[in-house]
Amino acid sequence: MGPRTAESDDIYIQFDGRQVHVETDVNEVAHFIRDSHSAMINPGAGQVVGRIVVLRAEGGYRVDAQVFEGDRPGMLFEMLKQRIAALFVNSRPDLFWLHSGVVTRGSRALLIVGPSGQGKSSLSIFLCRAGWRYLSDELAPIQINGGTVLPYPRSPVRRIPPGRYLATDEMGAVETETWPVPAGMIGTEAAIGSILFPEFAPGGETIVGVLTPGEASLGLIRNAFHSPGDRAHGVAASARLASVIPCRSIRYADVNDAARVLQGLDTALFGRPQNE
């Protein structure tokens, strides 16, 4: 770890009373952290659960004890988001952490679960613009016993659709945009009303399906974000959620149409469909 410099910036990111401290003398990194976690920045006192130091080094950058060669700090951005998230995950092993966007309507939350590239962020943004409230973009901290989800309001980043299906190795090259969530649009802890698994499929119509608990459980397990060696917790939590929460799939080609369909299902989304 390099020495602290006079130009170092201290940033405290807070989740549920716990903080991650980021120290950096790289302006681009400080701007990225403040932009991507704008609703989570809190200079007040809190329990610090981890510290990340990003400093300029000869020929590149030093992140804690690791040196990265290159002259573009953008190569560090995704890694830093993941490190911040991992520190919070490790500090709260009692929670079930899921790769999921989360929006709320009334007192209930809709979890939008899936890997990158399926439109979680885009669907979340469109629903928020239609009057829903925002809890999370990619990471849902869930209290299994109470069936509730806590806010982890990292700024949502959506890929600008290129108009075709993207292979996994193409995702990183797609242009993105960050959506600054208005402060009044960020919700609070909410009971989970429904879980949705989106699938982007160019060229087709929007189709909503009902998943069995077994199908939903497998989908949740695949998208769990857990501490190392704690897979059993994720499996048990996935099975429990899938057994009590209505779970659906949505296959779509146009995010505007998918969001409209979800708006039309507003009532049914938060209760088990009739005649199932």
Side-chain angles (χ1 to χ4, degrees):
M1 185 182 302
R4 182 182 179 89
T5 68
E7 296 79 19
S8 290
D9 195 355
D10 290 294
I11 305 170
Y12 291 87
I13 303 158
Q14 184 159 299
F15 162 72
D16 199 32
R18 292 166 169 78
Q19 294 185 343
V20 169
H21 173 203
V22 178
E23 177 195 332
T24 183
D25 64 0
V26 184
N27 290 336
E28 296 90 341
V29 168
H31 176 78
F32 168 75
I33 295 297
R34 292 186 184 280
D35 186 49
S36 61
H37 295 78
S38 59
M40 302 175 70
I41 304 298
N42 191 326
Q47 177 187 354
V48 176
V49 297
R51 184 168 179 252
I52 302 171
V53 180
V54 185
L55 301 174
R56 296 187 184 276
E58 185 176 354
Y61 307 92
R62 183 182 297 274
V63 181
D64 296 331
Q66 191 174 3
V67 175
F68 295 85
E69 296 182 354
D71 59 359
R72 292 182 298 175
M75 65 184 178
L76 305 175
F77 291 171
E78 187 61 31
M79 179 199 67
L80 291 172
K81 281 202 307 185
Q82 296 303 321
R83 285 202 183 185
I84 292 166
L87 288 168
F88 284 127
V89 170
N90 292 336
S91 76
R92 291 296 304 272
D94 56 307
L95 299 176
F96 175 47
W97 296 80
L98 193 62
H99 286 292
S100 175
V102 187
V103 292
T104 65
R105 189 74 176 247
S107 62
R108 295 299 185 96
L110 169 64
L111 272 57
I112 306 174
V113 181
S116 295
Q118 299 309 311
K120 298 189 305 296
S121 299
S122 294
L123 286 170
S124 297
I125 291 171
F126 273 83
L127 289 171
C128 285
R129 286 172 172 166
W132 296 54
R133 302 191 76 187
Y134 176 78
L135 259 66
S136 182
D137 176 38
E138 289 185 338
L139 197 57
I142 299 169
Q143 297 174 315
I144 291 296
N145 289 339
T148 58
V149 58
L150 304 177
Y152 189 90
R154 195 167 62 191
S155 303
V157 179
R158 67 179 289 268
R159 292 180 174 85
I160 300 175
R164 62 181 179 83
Y165 177 79
L166 293 171
T168 302
D169 59 0
E170 294 181 288
M171 296 294 180
V174 177
E175 187 178 356
T176 61
E177 62 180 5
T178 299
W179 187 57
V181 185
M185 193 176 285
I186 297 174
T188 57
E189 177 182 329
I192 301 170
S194 187
I195 299 174
L196 184 73
F197 294 85
E199 179 187 356
F200 177 68
E205 60 183 16
T206 300
I207 301 173
V208 176
V210 177
L211 299 179
T212 67
E215 292 169 333
S217 181
L218 288 175
L220 293 172
I221 291 169
R222 284 194 293 267
N223 290 284
F225 187 162
H226 48 74
S227 301
D230 198 22
R231 180 174 171 79
H233 172 58
V235 171
S238 296
R240 183 167 178 179
L241 276 181
S243 69
V244 297
I245 303 294
C247 299
R248 290 173 172 79
S249 62
I250 184 167
R251 184 181 176 91
Y252 71 99
D254 180 82
V255 69
N256 294 278
D257 186 56
R260 283 193 294 268
V261 169
L262 292 177
Q263 285 283 90
L265 291 174
D266 192 355
T267 301
L269 275 170
F270 297 123
R272 287 201 177 278
Q274 294 181 352
N275 302 321
E276 290 183 11

